[in-house]
Amino acid sequence: MTNGKTSSKNRPKAKVENRPKAKVRERGERGPLASVALHLALLIASAIAVLPPLWLLITSFKPTSEAFSTTLVKDFTFGNYDHVVNDTEFLSWLGNSLFVVGLTTVIGVFISATTGYAVSRFRFPGMRPLMWLLLITQMFPVAVLIVPLYNLLASLGLLNQPIGLVVTYLTIAVPFCAWMMKGYFDTIPVEIDEAGRVDGLNPFGTFWRLIVPLAKPGLAVTGFYAFITGWAEVAYASAFMTGEENLTLAGGLQTFVNQYTSDWGSLTAAAVIVAVPAAVIFGFAQRHLVSGLTAGATKS
């Protein structure tokens, strides 16, 4: 029986149009213009970073007369490299640098690791002032410290001595590396130390046998920083070392271009040779660099 009203079942259904839904951009998703701008900025930054060392390499194979030429190599030559290796004190500079950098790296890593571990695991009087002192030493520019360090090394008889440079570079590398290692050791669970003591290890045994193997990424970063500190430093090497046979590589490079001579071909060739060991060390350490630098950012 109907009551004059149309039943809901018999009502015609509204026609639904299948309109394409507008694509909703997820939060954080870049638009096309932003992506193009980002990739363009990365390309420009890459070109700026790569062009100087690439041009240095190209110039090293040019004759000295073409050093300022903007064209590529016309007369390819190894004469600059031959002159650097055979006619200068370059090999002596290399030996001095390897000795200084090797001692700086080994001693710097050991002192930084033990200092960082002690501050991370133990509480002792003067701990906070010690860490603040290490931090404050990083605030002084190199130019301010040259004169007092010169007087100190002169009073100790360490001027023009490789050991004097090692001590100087340790004052640069150890404070920063100790802070970094302290942050890295904070991420290693204290339970590992407690397990070592239960097994009868003393604190140094626990550090050497249990913690050091776990801290390889942090040690790699520390070693790389100490290496670069001694390998690329110029100001102290020039101020504290005299005589061409006593110079390190960084100081020796200055002899090619000074107020009397400008041998740009030899300078670029020597710079390329100097860059090779740093690139090799970076290649070995790069897989640890990211994890070692970021590990101290979080605390377990």
Side-chain angles (χ1 to χ4, degrees):
M1 184 175 179
T2 60
N3 55 1
K5 295 183 179 180
T6 306
S7 174
S8 60
K9 293 183 179 181
N10 299 326
R11 291 177 184 172
K13 295 183 178 179
K15 195 173 183 180
V16 180
E17 296 182 3
N18 295 325
R19 296 179 180 177
K21 295 182 178 180
K23 186 177 179 181
V24 180
R25 186 180 299 169
E26 296 181 2
R27 186 176 182 181
E29 183 180 356
R30 290 189 300 269
L33 291 178
S35 297
V36 171
L38 176 62
H39 285 81
L40 183 61
L42 291 175
L43 287 174
I44 294 174
S46 300
I48 293 174
V50 172
L51 185 59
L54 179 61
W55 194 254
L56 183 76
L57 178 64
I58 293 173
T59 305
S60 68
F61 294 111
K62 292 181 179 181
T64 304
S65 59
E66 299 179 6
F68 291 99
S69 174
T70 56
T71 60
L72 296 178
V73 182
K74 290 182 179 179
D75 300 322
F76 189 88
T77 178
F78 283 100
N80 294 325
Y81 291 90
D82 180 71
H83 172 69
V84 167
V85 174
N86 296 320
D87 299 333
T88 67
E89 298 288 341
F90 183 83
L91 295 181
S92 298
W93 304 338
L94 178 62
N96 295 336
S97 289
L98 291 175
F99 177 78
V100 170
V101 171
L103 277 182
T104 301
T105 302
V106 173
I107 299 175
V109 169
F110 180 77
I111 296 177
S112 301
T114 51
T115 302
Y117 179 76
V119 175
S120 174
R121 290 297 193 264
F122 304 106
R123 297 294 177 266
F124 51 88
M127 182 191 71
R128 292 181 65 84
L130 172 64
M131 296 307 294
W132 277 109
L133 180 63
L134 294 177
L135 184 62
I136 291 173
T137 57
Q138 300 295 294
M139 300 180 182
F140 294 95
V142 172
V144 174
L145 298 176
I146 288 180
V147 173
L149 284 174
Y150 184 93
N151 293 332
L152 180 61
L153 293 178
S155 64
L156 296 175
L158 295 178
L159 276 180
N160 211 30
Q161 298 291 331
I163 297 299
L165 273 186
V166 172
V167 174
T168 304
Y169 292 155
L170 288 176
T171 63
I172 302 173
V174 169
F176 173 79
C177 293
W179 266 99
M180 184 168 56
M181 290 305 301
K182 189 263 183 189
Y184 190 87
F185 287 133
D186 286 343
T187 65
I188 299 178
V190 181
E191 289 77 12
I192 296 178
D193 302 65
E194 296 173 351
R197 296 192 191 97
V198 170
D199 291 338
L201 294 176
N202 57 26
F204 184 80
T206 302
F207 163 77
W208 186 256
R209 299 181 62 179
L210 300 181
I211 304 301
V212 167
L214 299 175
K216 287 182 179 179
L219 294 174
V221 177
T222 300
F224 182 73
Y225 180 80
F227 172 84
I228 292 299
T229 297
W231 191 257
E233 201 281 324
V234 177
Y236 292 146
S238 302
F240 302 154
M241 306 296 285
T242 58
E244 286 198 13
E245 69 280 359
N246 296 322
L247 296 176
T248 59
L249 286 172
L253 291 182
Q254 298 184 73
T255 62
F256 294 117
V257 178
N258 51 49
Q259 59 180 335
Y260 302 110
T261 60
S262 297
D263 190 354
W264 293 103
S266 299
L267 175 65
T268 54
V272 171
I273 299 175
V274 170
V276 171
V280 172
I281 296 297
F282 177 80
F284 282 111
Q286 65 174 343
R287 65 191 184 97
H288 296 300
L289 290 180
V290 175
S291 59
L293 284 171
T294 58
T298 59
K299 191 172 181 179
S300 60

